[in-house]
Amino acid sequence: MPVLKIFTNVPKSQVTKDFMAKVIPVLVDGVKKEAEKFTCMVQSDCLLSIDGDSTLPAATASLESIGHLGPEENKRIAKLLSAVMQSELGVKPGRFLLTFYDLEPHNIAKKGTTIATLEF
């Protein structure tokens, strides 16, 4: 159940309605899980400063997943997501901060129980 949370100072009016439709395939390619497993959210109009500048487009994001993350995978995912952030939101790679969290199945719940329980 990978989760991508994006926070950006880009105005909501500049986040296209098909933004998710463009991000999810990138996540599928990067994380190697089916589209139906992803949760993605975007919070626009955030007060956000990167490198001491809050006037230029910027974004931070966190990607949480059970597995499929690691040193080499994260490099690839970062490259893919940075490209989407630049093409879709105008956020240059140097103004995009992405953090990764490799979670254990007992630390995520869905359907009223943990993923660890659902997997067995």
Side-chain angles (χ1 to χ4, degrees), residues 7 9 15 27 29-31 39 49 54 61-63 69 71 81-82 87 89 110:
F7 298 89
N9 61 356
V15 179
L27 292 171
D29 183 28
V31 182
T39 298
S49 176
S54 61
S62 65
L63 178 60
L69 299 178
L81 282 177
S82 291
S87 67
L89 299 180
K110 188 171 184 178

Side-chain angles (χ1 to χ4, degrees), residues 11-99:
K12 184 176 181 178
S13 62
Q14 293 179 22
V15 179
T16 62
K17 293 194 183 289
D18 65 346
F19 180 76
M20 297 295 183
K22 293 179 180 179
V23 170
I24 297 296
V26 169
L27 292 171
V28 167
D29 183 28
V31 182
K32 306 297 185 204
K33 293 192 179 190
E34 301 84 23
E36 301 78 33
K37 295 197 177 208
F38 283 93
T39 298
C40 184
M41 61 194 84
V42 177
Q43 179 63 53
S44 56
D45 293 307
C46 291
L47 294 176
L48 177 59
S49 176
I50 293 184
D51 296 331
D53 189 342
S54 61
T55 63
L56 296 173
T60 65
S62 65
L63 178 60
E64 304 168 3
S65 180
I66 298 170
H68 300 261
L69 299 178
E72 294 307 312
E73 296 90 342
N74 293 0
K75 288 178 192 176
R76 185 168 182 277
I77 294 165
K79 184 176 182 178
L80 292 169
L81 282 177
S82 291
V84 170
M85 297 303 288
Q86 184 165 11
S87 67
E88 297 302 314
L89 299 180
V91 175
K92 294 182 179 178
R95 301 209 25 95
F96 177 53
L97 177 70
L98 177 60
T99 54

